[in-house]
Amino acid sequence: MSRLKPVLITLTAIAVLIGLALGGGALWLYSDAKVSTVGSTDFSNELAVPPLAKSTVKSDGTRVFELTMRAGEKEFRTGQKTPTWGFNGDHLGPTLRAKRGEKVQVKIKNALGEESTVHWHGMHLPAEMDGGPHQMVAPGATWAPRWTVNQPAATLWYHPHPHGKTEKHVQRGLAGMFLLHDEKSDRLALPRKYGVDDLPVIVQDVKFDGAKFDHGHKMLSDTGFLGNRTMANGTLDPYKEVGDELVRLRLLNASTARIYDFGFSDDREFALVGTDGGLLEKTTRMRRIRMSPGERAEIVVRMKPGEKATLRSFPNDSYGDSWSKRFAGGDDSFDVLELRAKKTLRASPELPAELGELEVPDGADSVRGRFFGLRTSGINGRTMQMGRIDETITRGTAETWTVRNEHSTPHNFHIHDVQFRVLEVDGKEPPAELRGAKDTVFVPGNTTVKLAMRFDGPADPDTPYMYHCHLLYHEDLGMMGQFVVVEKGEKASKVRTPHAHAGH
Ligand code: C2O
Ligand code: CU
Ligand code: CU
């Protein structure tokens, strides 16, 4: 007994010390996890505006764009050259623009030295043109998808989608906007001078390690990469001088895991006019809008002569428990962009109150429901398999999908090819920001959303579309599934594991 005692005391002391160290470590990690650039941003760089992509029109009316994916380097900070990837340039890509009804083709050359893809996020198009993981483009090859634009005016975007590597490819700088307009949107009194009173704002969080990007994930964070500052259109600390009373910002969250809660530093009201799939039915005033990776929002802000307005991302309460919230970035805040109004401003016409009708179904004619349970370990308990079709859907039908986040880690849900209507969030009517056409929706921890969409085809039993969590680390881990659209009674064919497209 007397010999055991000192041993026990020593063991207890060691256990206590380990406990303290772990607790202290956790505490340190907890407080270290929070980042903010509010008040410390000097807005010293003019916001870059991605150029409008040049196009040519073939004799059959097809509008043809060319994109080259390539490596480069960019001086985000003076004297520091950061290795990057970009489309037709060092970082990000040009803005493509097309009108509803137009035939378009994009010739994509892969000069990266490794295989990749380009996916048209939010676009309604045939599965083999979608640019998902089944349309890999080999190094040196060119892939030239074509389709007819048949959907309302909207702010869409494009980015790579190689299975298991999407986070890396997007982080290095491969992303750009694809703007659609139509007869209706051309007639509405909305700001539309690109780069003047209609600004693309691609928001991404970043971190640097010397000259290079630091893409490491934080300890204890299970959502993926979280940066310690933000950039807009690849510009750090950006400002933009504006000369119009009303300025439209096309916000795109092109971050890989970061969820933003945008508003202005003085809490001013802004008007939400559009979401992922296009214009809302009615202009809606609000002070905050939450955006998870992949989502878009078109907001219009009113400026007074000579004033400054700061677009800010505020801490956000919607992540579940305080632990998940802290490690998923819910306590973080960023000064994202400063708008500087000129001394005299051009008068802008009043915003229209009515913007048009939504083309997404309302669930009334849904022919069936499906359930998707989200966990980081997979959707409905399975991880993505290139050769497995998870859902087979009849062309022309509407469905209601119930998506439940089954644990406390934040996720979101994106469906290729379609736009959907959010019918319910936890059994209740969705908030104003979720009342438009959507293709990506945030699903906070332990939350259920109900979505209605129509699959207009064309049918293709051989080629699947994807649905997945758009937190790209989760997508890469396999939080993704595949669906095919088939004619009534038809079955999905066996999907072959694809070989990268070997160029023509
Ligand atoms: Cu923007 Cu399947 O992704
Ligand atoms: Cu997509
Ligand atoms: Cu996720």
Side-chain angles (χ1 to χ4, degrees):
M1 191 66 202
S2 58
R3 259 194 294 146
L4 261 180
K5 212 174 172 188
V7 177
L8 278 176
I9 290 172
T10 315
L11 283 178
T12 313
I14 290 174
V16 166
L17 279 176
I18 290 177
L20 282 176
L22 282 178
L27 208 65
W28 180 80
L29 283 171
Y30 186 84
S31 52
D32 187 59
K34 180 170 159 177
V35 297
S36 176
T37 61
V38 165
S40 61
T41 309
D42 60 3
F43 304 112
S44 48
N45 302 310
E46 189 178 352
L47 176 77
V49 174
L52 283 172
K54 290 195 194 74
S55 59
T56 53
V57 179
K58 290 207 286 205
S59 55
D60 72 347
T62 307
R63 182 174 295 285
V64 183
F65 299 94
E66 286 181 25
L67 291 176
T68 301
M69 314 166 82
R70 63 160 177 87
E73 47 179 28
K74 177 169 163 155
E75 228 173 290
F76 293 96
R77 298 154 304 159
T78 351
Q80 309 251 42
K81 291 201 170 119
T82 305
T84 51
W85 282 0
F87 292 100
N88 298 359
D90 291 316
H91 188 250
L92 299 178
T95 299
L96 278 59
R97 243 179 129 248
K99 189 171 179 181
R100 185 173 198 167
E102 253 184 331
K103 286 185 272 198
V104 296
Q105 178 171 41
V106 191
K107 294 185 176 160
I108 295 154
K109 187 170 167 51
N110 180 359
L112 290 174
E114 74 178 83
E115 58 175 12
S116 190
T117 66
V118 181
H119 164 60
W120 317 102
H121 182 127
M123 196 76 76
H124 173 48
L125 76 189
E128 49 175 358
M129 309 300 171
D130 189 45
H134 291 272
Q135 289 88 37
M136 297 301 288
V137 190
T142 297
W143 178 57
R146 48 161 79 223
W147 67 94
T148 301
V149 174
N150 186 15
Q151 66 190 93
T155 301
L156 310 182
W157 67 301
Y158 59 95
H159 63 79
H161 216 299
H163 185 37
K165 298 204 183 91
T166 298
E167 185 191 38
K168 265 206 182 72
H169 287 213
V170 174
Q171 257 169 353
R172 288 176 183 168
L174 292 174
M177 274 195 186
F178 202 139
L179 307 183
L180 300 181
H181 61 116
D182 61 18
E183 303 272 306
K184 266 197 265 172
S185 72
D186 290 350
R187 276 198 311 266
L188 285 170
L190 290 172
R192 68 169 100 257
K193 287 175 289 213
Y194 183 81
V196 179
D197 64 357
D198 182 356
L199 304 173
V201 182
I202 303 173
V203 183
Q204 296 172 303
D205 57 340
V206 276
K207 196 172 177 186
F208 291 96
D209 172 12
K212 290 195 300 216
F213 282 137
D214 174 357
H215 289 153
H217 294 181
K218 270 185 205 159
M219 278 252 264
L220 299 185
S221 172
D222 56 1
T223 57
F225 168 79
L226 292 174
N228 58 3
R229 59 196 299 189
T230 54
M231 55 187 182
N233 302 341
T235 310
L236 293 167
D237 304 332
Y239 75 87
K240 174 75 181 165
E241 196 170 85
V242 292
D244 292 271
E245 283 175 350
L246 292 182
V247 180
R248 177 188 195 170
L249 304 177
R250 296 180 188 253
L251 302 171
L252 158 62
N253 181 355
S255 310
T256 58
R258 174 71 70 186
I259 296 144
Y260 299 100
D261 200 356
F262 290 120
F264 288 87
S265 56
D266 60 0
D267 232 10
R268 75 179 58 196
E269 229 178 41
F270 56 83
L272 178 71
V273 295
T275 53
D276 303 342
L279 297 174
L280 300 178
E281 288 181 313
K282 290 181 192 338
T283 297
T284 310
R285 316 255 158 208
M286 54 182 62
R287 291 195 156 80
R288 291 277 200 281
I289 184 161
R290 189 177 65 185
M291 293 176 70
S292 67
E295 291 184 280
R296 288 86 66 211
E298 297 184 28
I299 67 171
V300 179
V301 57
R302 178 173 290 281
M303 302 293 297
K304 291 202 195 77
E307 73 163 348
K308 288 176 180 172
T310 304
L311 178 71
R312 180 172 287 174
S313 176
F314 293 85
N316 185 315
D317 248 344
S318 61
Y319 291 72
D321 57 51
S322 58
W323 189 264
S324 309
K325 183 179 162 203
R326 172 59 58 98
F327 289 102
D331 292 320
D332 299 348
S333 47
F334 300 94
D335 276 346
V336 176
L337 170 67
E338 184 177 81
L339 296 175
R340 296 182 188 161
K342 290 187 181 157
K343 292 261 148 45
T344 50
L345 297 175
R346 277 182 294 268
S348 306
E350 267 323 299
L351 282 180
E354 309 282 330
L355 299 167
E357 257 161 55
L358 293 186
E359 295 184 14
V360 282
D362 61 4
D365 60 345
S366 288
V367 300
R368 67 171 283 179
R370 295 178 203 258
F371 176 81
F372 300 89
L374 307 182
R375 287 176 187 272
T376 310
S377 55
I379 298 179
N380 289 345
R382 313 196 279 199
T383 53
M384 161 79 175
Q385 290 295 330
M386 293 285 285
R388 185 192 69 222
I389 299 300
D390 298 280
E391 311 292 337
T392 302
I393 295 162
T394 307
R395 186 181 66 81
T397 61
E399 299 200 353
T400 298
W401 288 15
T402 301
V403 183
R404 171 152 181 80
N405 183 339
E406 297 178 321
H407 58 180
S408 62
T409 305
H411 297 295
N412 72 5
F413 196 71
H414 167 51
I415 312 176
H416 285 207
D417 185 50
V418 297
Q419 294 292 331
F420 52 75
R421 188 192 294 255
V422 181
L423 301 175
E424 285 174 14
V425 178
D426 276 344
K428 290 194 276 294
E429 213 195 323
E433 69 205 61
L434 299 181
R435 289 196 201 136
K438 298 282 295 165
D439 55 50
T440 308
V441 62
F442 184 41
V443 194
N446 303 304
T447 298
T448 304
V449 295
K450 243 188 192 184
L451 318 170
M453 72 294 292
R454 187 184 318 281
F455 297 87
D456 279 328
D460 180 350
D462 301 323
T463 316
Y465 295 105
M466 308 293 129
Y467 55 84
H468 58 89
C469 177
H470 216 290
L471 274 63
L472 299 182
Y473 169 59
H474 292 173
E475 175 188 330
D476 288 342
L477 282 178
M479 275 193 81
M480 177 152 72
Q482 312 197 94
F483 69 96
V484 287
V485 176
V486 300
E487 294 298 348
K488 198 169 180 194
E490 200 181 6
K491 286 213 173 61
S493 20
K494 232 181 146 44
V495 175
R496 294 163 296 266
T497 315
H499 302 287
H501 224 258
H504 353 244

